[in-house]
Amino acid sequence: LFAEAGVQTKGNKRNQVLKIGHGGTLDSAATGVLVVGIGKGTKMLGTMLAGSKKYTAIGMLGKATDTLDATGKVTEEKPYDQVTKGDLENVLQKFTGDIMQVPPLYSALKKDGERLSTLMKRGETVEAKPARPVRVYSLSLQQFQPPLFTLDVECGGGFYVRSLVNDIGKELSTCASVQELTRTKQGPFTLEEHALHEDKWTIDDIAQSLEHCTALLLGEPARKKLKTEHPGETAVICE
């Protein structure tokens, strides 16, 4: 980004000031919205992303994995022929509202400063975290083509869709795992309106994206000069 913007850094890393931070991890196999703060925008992420998140998840009945998704090793297989669309819709009601949820072992949660997923990959023994309260604002079945089913989920922070699908499988007297997961909304940002795809990660496209996001920030200016140590250097921030 510095090279594309024509910023002369002269090899001094202390002068290469461009703060970038993200507003919450995505599962390694997931796609969709990941909000990124640039410059002073990094300090706004906590406030900006206090709202709900939305996901579209494709689950598979009859197969469980150690990661609770398609990237893991199969740990269990059970018949699912007895499950009907009505059964699935009825079960979803049990997972709507304020519920208790056990986070996955493969997750970004930490033990002694390291992610549980890192410890698991090293083969270390990891105890499951205790169930904790989470909130599901809405949960609906969009498609049912056994063994696959598609869910739309709107939830609060700390919620794991992988755990949800795993719990749904158990509730149906079978097992289930996530095959595809897409985050469609995070806070006020949506996949359709605000996502900047990888082929557009250029200075000009990023600047245009920041301007587009300004409408969500109560009329604050999209562009503002950030003080730099060299005259003529300018950083574009979203605040």
Side-chain angles (χ1 to χ4, degrees):
L1 287 174
F2 273 112
E4 187 176 342
V7 175
Q8 301 298 320
T9 59
K10 298 181 180 180
N12 189 340
K13 292 184 178 180
R14 288 180 298 177
N15 293 337
Q16 298 178 26
V17 181
L18 182 62
K19 294 182 179 180
I20 299 178
H22 66 79
T25 57
L26 271 171
D27 286 351
S28 59
T31 60
V33 177
L34 178 66
V35 179
V36 176
I38 300 178
K40 292 183 180 179
T42 57
K43 298 180 180 180
M44 302 178 62
L45 290 172
T47 301
M48 286 294 299
L49 304 180
S52 64
K53 303 175 185 179
K54 289 185 178 181
Y55 296 88
T56 297
I58 299 177
M60 174 179 282
L61 294 170
K63 185 177 292 186
T65 69
D66 55 358
T67 60
L68 310 187
D69 64 15
T71 67
K73 297 179 181 178
V74 176
T75 58
E76 187 178 24
E77 293 189 67
K78 285 186 174 182
Y80 57 85
D81 296 343
Q82 76 281 6
V83 178
T84 67
K85 182 178 180 181
D87 293 334
L88 189 48
E89 289 175 330
N90 290 335
V91 162
L92 297 187
Q93 298 177 21
K94 299 181 179 181
F95 295 99
T96 304
D98 294 323
I99 63 173
M100 299 296 290
Q101 185 185 72
V102 177
L105 288 178
Y106 280 89
S107 69
L109 297 179
K110 294 184 177 181
K111 176 186 177 183
D112 300 328
E114 287 195 85
R115 292 185 176 188
L116 297 185
S117 57
T118 301
L119 298 175
M120 291 287 291
K121 290 175 182 178
R122 285 210 302 258
E124 298 186 22
T125 301
V126 177
E127 294 184 2
K129 293 283 187 178
R132 57 185 186 176
V134 292
R135 178 167 293 179
V136 179
Y137 296 101
S138 65
L139 176 59
S140 61
L141 178 65
Q142 299 301 307
Q143 194 170 14
F144 183 58
Q145 294 181 327
L148 300 179
F149 61 95
T150 303
L151 302 175
D152 273 353
V153 187
E154 183 172 6
C155 57
F159 183 84
Y160 283 89
V161 177
R162 285 181 291 138
S163 289
L164 168 68
V165 171
N166 180 66
D167 291 341
I168 287 173
K170 292 178 179 178
E171 194 70 26
L172 291 168
S173 300
T174 180
C175 53
S177 55
V178 171
Q179 296 302 295
E180 295 181 24
L181 180 62
T182 304
R183 184 190 285 163
T184 58
K185 176 181 176 292
Q186 184 178 16
F189 302 98
T190 66
L191 183 61
E192 295 80 6
E193 296 181 51
H194 308 107
L196 189 64
H197 295 279
E198 188 172 356
D199 60 350
K200 293 186 177 181
W201 289 355
T202 67
I203 289 292
D204 288 341
D205 286 322
I206 290 173
Q208 290 179 10
S209 179
L210 294 178
E211 289 181 349
H212 183 46
C213 291
T214 304
L216 303 175
L217 306 178
L218 302 178
E220 288 290 331
R223 295 188 178 210
K224 182 177 178 181
K225 288 188 177 180
L226 180 65
K227 290 183 179 179
T228 56
E229 298 187 25
H230 293 285
E233 292 183 9
T234 302
V236 179
I237 63 174
C238 183
E239 68 169 14

